[in-house]
Amino acid sequence: MSDKHVKAVSFNNITFGYTPNVVTLDDISFTIDEGEYICVIGHNGSGKSTISKLMTGLLAPRSGTIQLFGETIHKTNIKYLRDCVGIIFQNPDNQFIGLTAEDDIAFGLENRRVKPNDIKMIIHKIAKLVNIEDLLTNDAANLSGGQKQRVAIASVLATNPKIIIFDESTSMLDPRSKMQIKSLMLFLKEKFNKTVISITHDMEEVVNADRVLVLKAGKLIESGTPSEIFEDRERLKNIQLDVPLTLQASKIFDKKNHQFEPTLSRTDFIEQILKRGKR
């Protein structure tokens, strides 16, 4: 996280509804610092994905203001928003435009009128970053879900947005691909100081976040670190969410052996088990 605490995103009293008589987001306010990794969680219908659509300009709020790096977003500066924010969707097929991975990454750059030689340089730089160099000329139909998702991420990174939103981006992937995408999220934050916002149901992913926003029925009901959010399991159950498997298992161990410390960290959990195995 940036030492200067630059506000990358500010939602100020945002209200939105898809129909006049229904409120999907009800007077939501929060800020996200530049370089933060934020997870937004909540049951289906809580308004999570609506936040991502508002943040990318796909929707406009009924009332309230959205600011990116201090600049209030409105109709006349929507290009600023789209240059600042990139989004990776749940289904990579919905985001794949080109016949090949290389075509797909080039699409956004061509729309921005980047010079052809520069496009080639950017494609190979980004492909190396997300480990898809060997996939660039592959037909999209022959790529796995995880490979397509990495191409989608490369397409977003090629335009170099400051804020990257992952909207349920791991929900359709196999466990190995999920781990790769989660690692990439952390890499983008730590290596490039990107502001990473993940809309997710995956409680194992939430463990890695700097902060968690919890939504229920269109309201922001809590904001805090993963440890703070998962401290009260009953409260999470009331909004149909669960705690990460590692914390569940470590609490079970703690009940049987009071010297076992409940933890969100898988590494810490394994180390505690190994220490007791040596006794």
Side-chain angles (χ1 to χ4, degrees), residues 147-195:
Q147 288 171 333
K148 286 180 181 178
Q149 200 63 291
R150 291 212 304 275
V151 172
I153 292 169
S155 299
V156 168
L157 289 179
T159 62
N160 198 29
K162 295 179 180 179
I163 301 165
I164 302 175
I165 301 171
F166 292 81
D167 193 350
E168 300 282 6
S169 303
T170 64
S171 63
M172 297 180 68
L173 303 181
D174 60 82
R176 182 182 178 186
S177 296
K178 281 186 179 184
M179 288 183 65
Q180 291 173 339
I181 301 303
K182 291 177 196 176
S183 296
L184 186 55
M185 290 181 194
L186 285 171
F187 180 71
L188 293 172
K189 164 199 155 54
E190 292 167 0
K191 179 73 174 177
F192 298 101
N193 199 41
K194 297 292 185 184
T195 303

Side-chain angles (χ1 to χ4, degrees), residues 93 95-107 110 135-143 148 151 155:
D93 287 326
Q95 200 158 347
F96 219 103
I97 296 170
L99 293 175
T100 67
E102 190 171 22
D103 293 337
D104 199 68
I105 301 169
F107 181 80
E110 289 169 348
L135 303 178
L136 287 176
T137 58
N138 288 22
D139 191 306
N142 297 326
L143 299 177
K148 286 180 181 178
V151 172
S155 299

